[in-house]
Amino acid sequence: MKVFEKAPAKINLLLDVLRKREDGYHEVEMIMTMVDLSDRIEMQELLRDTIIISSQAGYIPLDEKNLAFQAARLIKDRYDVKQGVYIHLDKKIPVAAGLAGGSSDAAATLRGLNRLWKLNIPAEEMQVLGAELGSDVPFCVTGGTAIARGRGEKLEPIEAPPQCWVVLAKPPINVSTSEIYGKLRANQIANHPSASDVLEAIRLKRFDLLCERLGNVLEEVTLDLYPEVRQLKECMVRLGADGVLMSGSGPTVFGLVSREAKVARIYNGLRGFCKDVYAVRLLT
Ligand code: ATP
């Protein structure tokens, strides 16, 4: 038996950090949605009690450090599954990019193994399992568009933003999420973006307002550390994207574009600047 799952990339339309908690985690408020840029995950049953990971991507760990491996081990332990699984990751999402590639792979592994092993785990229970693997995993289990609070595990689904093009560009640097959160001074954030303003723009289906109201407090840390991310943002604005923001802790910058006629110009302009550029649709 074999199953396949798509693991789409996420972008943050809003990322705010409210405070650093006593347990060391940050209290966040995030509005997240998915884009049509996905890894493809194949899971094949093995009779031997083992987990094997392979991938065409040479730059991700294939052992227990891989989040798909961790998801498989978690579900096996928790539901006492004796069979093993061979997992192949066809990576399309750039790694360490702020697009939750690893988290989405982990979530897709939970969904796929739930089917492969006929475990009938409800989605909410998979989200609770996912929270043990990483803050973005619970959202990736169900996808769609949602507001996340707490560490990212308290999720409330919301309606999808107006459909548009999303141009993504990742400069050739890897950014560590923990480094960026470590350098953030949560009590000194000058401008907090407003989640209720973004929610209102979505509810009113006002693409122009949504573009104006995008915000990510991690930008000030990443843009200072990596000037190429700032340049990339400026470049995307100059090329005419309607709304431009860094996703997650970066370094990927995305531009929302309503008119298809503009997309090719922005895509081609960015290709002169970096190799990893994608023009995709929102996954609504
Ligand atoms: P986030 O937006 O959730 O912070 P990210 O997009 O910045 O995530 P990932 O692509 O998930 O980052 O990769 C972060 C790290 O996780 C990398 O250093 C990578 O080696 C490791 N990793 C583990 N499993 C995977 C996986 N299946 N795919 C990609 N990276 C993985």
Side-chain angles (χ1 to χ4, degrees):
M1 248 286 266
K2 227 188 224 188
V3 297
F4 297 91
E5 284 282 336
K6 253 171 86 162
K10 69 96 221 244
I11 54 170
N12 296 92
L13 301 173
L14 177 125
L15 194 163
D16 193 15
V17 175
L18 307 180
R19 63 184 181 93
K20 187 159 182 193
R21 309 193 315 198
E22 296 66 41
D23 62 6
Y25 287 106
H26 288 87
E27 189 80 18
V28 296
E29 194 161 46
M30 301 189 286
I31 298 178
M32 304 187 280
T33 194
M34 294 196 134
V35 297
D36 196 5
L37 169 68
S38 303
D39 294 341
R40 184 173 179 274
I41 316 225
E42 179 186 324
M43 287 154 266
Q44 186 171 359
E45 208 167 16
L46 293 177
L47 295 178
R48 270 186 307 141
D49 187 359
T50 180
I51 301 167
I52 300 170
I53 306 269
S54 72
S55 176
Q56 96 296 5
Y59 38 78
I60 56 164
L62 298 176
D63 53 11
E64 68 283 349
K65 289 197 210 71
N66 195 297
L67 281 158
F69 183 102
Q70 292 171 21
R73 188 173 52 194
L74 182 63
I75 211 167
K76 263 173 68 57
D77 287 353
R78 221 41 77 76
Y79 296 88
D80 202 21
V81 176
K82 299 292 181 221
Q83 297 98 304
V85 63
Y86 165 73
I87 302 175
H88 181 76
L89 305 173
D90 185 3
K91 291 290 297 178
K92 294 282 185 290
I93 306 173
V95 174
L99 297 172
S103 304
S104 198
D105 291 352
T109 303
L110 295 177
R111 291 194 305 269
L113 293 181
N114 190 26
R115 289 198 288 131
L116 186 70
W117 291 330
K118 302 186 176 58
L119 299 170
N120 291 318
I121 310 168
E124 306 77 63
E125 205 170 310
M126 277 194 281
Q127 288 180 329
V128 174
L129 277 181
E132 296 184 30
L133 301 168
S135 307
D136 282 343
V137 182
F139 166 69
C140 293
V141 166
T142 38
T145 306
I147 179 158
R149 298 193 175 90
R151 283 170 52 193
E153 82 289 5
K154 291 184 191 143
L155 287 167
E156 195 186 308
I158 59 169
E159 70 182 282
Q163 184 52 283
C164 63
W165 288 90
V166 185
V167 183
L168 302 152
K170 179 190 172 278
I173 49 172
N174 288 343
V175 170
S176 141
T177 303
S178 58
E179 184 196 3
I180 301 303
Y181 271 102
K183 292 217 154 78
L184 179 77
R185 295 287 152 260
N187 49 2
Q188 289 168 18
I189 296 169
N191 291 310
H192 288 276
S194 159
S196 55
D197 283 358
V198 172
L199 290 174
E200 183 191 53
I202 294 175
R203 201 175 53 247
L204 297 173
K205 303 191 194 318
R206 288 277 305 273
F207 179 73
D208 57 333
L209 283 185
L210 174 64
C211 289
E212 266 172 36
R213 293 175 176 182
L214 300 171
N216 178 350
V217 296
L218 299 182
E219 275 191 341
E220 56 185 80
V221 182
T222 309
L223 269 53
D224 278 353
L225 282 176
Y226 302 100
E228 51 273 69
V229 183
R230 189 186 298 280
Q231 284 164 15
L232 191 56
K233 257 199 96 178
E234 287 164 1
C235 182
M236 231 192 250
V237 171
R238 235 183 0 258
L239 288 165
D242 300 303
V244 178
L245 195 73
M246 183 181 84
S247 188
S249 53
T252 301
V253 171
F254 67 86
L256 304 182
V257 185
S258 65
R259 286 185 24 235
E260 187 168 1
K262 274 208 249 171
V263 173
R265 186 161 58 94
I266 298 172
Y267 178 90
N268 291 328
L270 290 166
R271 286 282 296 182
F273 199 76
C274 58
K275 183 170 82 29
D276 282 332
V277 186
Y278 310 84
V280 297
R281 301 284 282 168
L282 284 177
L283 211 59
T284 55

